[in-house]
Amino acid sequence: MLGLVATRRTALRAAAWSVPAALAGSALRGTPALAAAPARLADPRANQAAKDLANLLTGFSSDRTMAVGQQLNVNGDAPFGPLTALDADAPALSGRVRVLGWTTNEWHYAVQHGYNEEVLDDLVARAQAGDVLVTSWYPRNPRTRAGAHDSPGPKVVRRVLTEGTVERKRFLAEFDHQVAPYLRQLQEAGVATVFRPLVEANSYWFWWGCDNGRGGSAAWRSDVRKLYRLVQKRASARGIHNLVWCCSFVPGSDYRAADPVATRPAAYDIAGLSSYDFESHADDADELVLGSYAAMAAVSPRMALGEVGPANSDGHWDPAVITSGLRAAGAAPAYGMFWFDDGEPDPTNTDGSQIQGLKQISSLTGGKTWLGTASEDGLVDVAP
């Protein structure tokens, strides 16, 4: 989740998506997919479920459509609240949200404290019925053992990359005990997931992030790529091969962020832009922020709007700008993920450092109307 955030606190669908044979296979954005070509994934041992998911995402983009996604607050009192809020007025609309996001951090915390134990089973069932899961991991700072936002800096990254350090042991232990078991549970159920570790890695607000306001040092850029590779190796060592690996990034021109092209991992399967329109800037015009999208699309096998919507908004934001913005740019991401409502907006904030506010589809002006333009399979036409 971009920036400094507040603490994040049914019916199954019977229809499953299928991958059109003519669209199967991976392709660079703007290049037609090869007919019946199998997906080539970052993990050479990727299982069939992961390959099928990658082909499905490729097919969405090749068809110039975007699947609708909604992040869930699996640590909250109503983990599926962003969907039930749609059901309240228009039950058919919630069925058009076919990409569901969740974080291992939130769910692990909930289970450790004795609630929401059933949520992962619910997500598995939804995925088995045809929904796409996007799993994120925000690792704690392995030096301070505080949250992901604590004390950003390249020294921690370097320590994690160094054999025998306590930081490395803590980092890998967190993956082994708080991430791998849940990914393995999905795998055992025959479910693949898009996996976002080290979210927004070219930013500066997480401990793995950029080490200066000038795009980061060459040493940090090299190390953050190695850190992503370390996670990939650990997943493989733990027998996890159901992942479509996501490279999460923010616009390189904003937030004193590094160039995402220069910091991207050596191998990944989809790049996801965090695209937020900061309402705190007193600009009433809704905007789809696509900074660095084209540059990453030119070098990435697939693209997504990993997070999209307004920041610091009171709800007066119309998602129709996403459709018009994508059409104007000629862009066709595989999916667009709205975040859940995460706090009251701060009208006094003008620097964009806070992004609390109303974000989920049901809370945005025009959100339900826009969702109504999606097909029953949750696909929005973005063809120019």
Side-chain angles (χ1 to χ4, degrees):
M1 183 65 171
L2 184 65
L4 304 175
V5 298
T7 302
R8 293 169 182 156
R9 307 262 314 147
T10 75
L12 302 179
R13 305 182 186 103
W17 284 337
S18 60
V19 184
L23 297 176
S26 63
L28 295 178
R29 190 62 57 249
T31 303
L34 299 177
R40 289 187 176 183
L41 299 185
D43 178 4
R45 298 172 60 193
N47 66 17
Q48 191 59 48
K51 294 176 182 178
D52 289 346
L53 176 55
N55 282 336
L56 179 66
L57 298 175
T58 297
F60 293 163
S61 294
S62 297
D63 254 358
R64 312 299 294 181
T65 56
M66 182 188 76
V68 178
Q70 175 65 67
Q71 185 75 14
L72 305 176
N73 182 2
V74 296
N75 184 31
D77 295 334
F80 290 92
L83 299 184
T84 56
L86 291 167
D87 279 329
D89 296 326
L93 288 183
S94 68
R96 301 185 185 187
V97 178
R98 303 300 298 270
V99 181
L100 302 178
W102 69 295
T103 74
T104 58
N105 313 70
E106 291 168 354
W107 190 77
H108 182 79
Y109 179 90
V111 171
Q112 290 298 105
H113 290 80
Y115 62 97
N116 286 359
E117 291 97 335
E118 76 287 350
V119 168
L120 188 55
D121 288 338
D122 290 344
L123 289 173
V124 167
R126 287 172 181 268
Q128 290 173 333
D131 288 342
V132 173
L133 300 186
V134 178
T135 303
S136 299
W137 174 39
Y138 295 78
R140 288 183 170 275
N141 186 316
R143 172 174 288 182
T144 65
R145 310 190 85 168
H149 287 99
D150 188 62
S151 301
K155 292 181 180 179
V156 181
V157 176
R158 177 59 59 87
R159 292 283 293 176
V160 173
L161 295 175
T162 303
E163 293 281 356
T165 63
V166 66
E167 290 87 352
R168 183 183 181 93
K169 293 176 181 177
R170 288 173 178 169
F171 179 80
L172 295 177
E174 180 174 333
F175 180 84
D176 289 347
H177 299 297
Q178 300 182 25
V179 183
Y182 313 139
L183 298 178
R184 194 176 297 112
Q185 184 172 337
L186 297 179
Q187 180 170 276
E188 292 170 353
V191 171
T193 180
V194 176
F195 183 48
R196 299 198 315 161
L198 307 174
V199 173
E200 298 164 353
N202 66 316
S203 69
Y204 66 88
W205 43 81
F206 295 117
W207 64 261
W208 55 86
C210 188
D211 59 345
N212 61 50
R214 301 179 301 280
S217 66
W220 168 77
R221 289 195 295 271
S222 175
D223 282 352
V224 77
R225 292 193 295 266
K226 292 176 183 177
L227 186 62
Y228 193 97
R229 180 59 182 148
L230 178 63
V231 179
Q232 291 177 314
K233 290 181 177 178
R234 195 66 168 192
S236 183
R238 294 295 176 259
I240 298 168
H241 301 288
N242 62 325
L243 308 180
V244 173
W245 289 86
C246 180
C247 167
S248 170
F249 70 101
V250 298
S253 58
D254 299 325
Y255 323 119
R256 305 194 303 277
D259 176 8
V261 173
T263 55
R264 74 192 194 282
Y268 59 97
D269 304 310
I270 189 167
L273 169 66
S274 291
S275 171
Y276 283 101
D277 179 8
F278 285 96
E279 299 293 278
S280 58
H281 290 178
D283 179 3
D284 292 332
D286 296 339
E287 178 185 6
L288 175 65
V289 179
L290 288 176
S292 301
Y293 184 99
M296 282 293 281
V299 297
S300 299
R302 299 164 193 84
M303 292 294 293
L305 297 179
E307 300 178 26
V308 66
N312 207 47
S313 172
D314 61 1
H316 288 88
W317 197 88
D318 191 345
V321 73
I322 297 175
T323 310
S324 60
L326 291 174
R327 287 173 176 165
Y335 63 85
M337 181 74 73
F338 291 81
W339 211 258
F340 54 81
D341 296 342
D342 57 3
E344 294 297 324
D346 178 5
T348 66
N349 173 38
T350 58
D351 64 4
S353 63
Q354 303 289 326
I355 60 170
Q356 286 88 346
L358 303 182
K359 298 182 177 67
Q360 65 197 37
I361 301 169
S362 63
S363 301
L364 300 177
T365 299
K368 294 178 182 179
T369 299
W370 177 80
L371 185 57
T373 68
S375 69
E376 291 184 0
D377 280 338
L379 301 176
V380 176
D381 183 1
V382 296

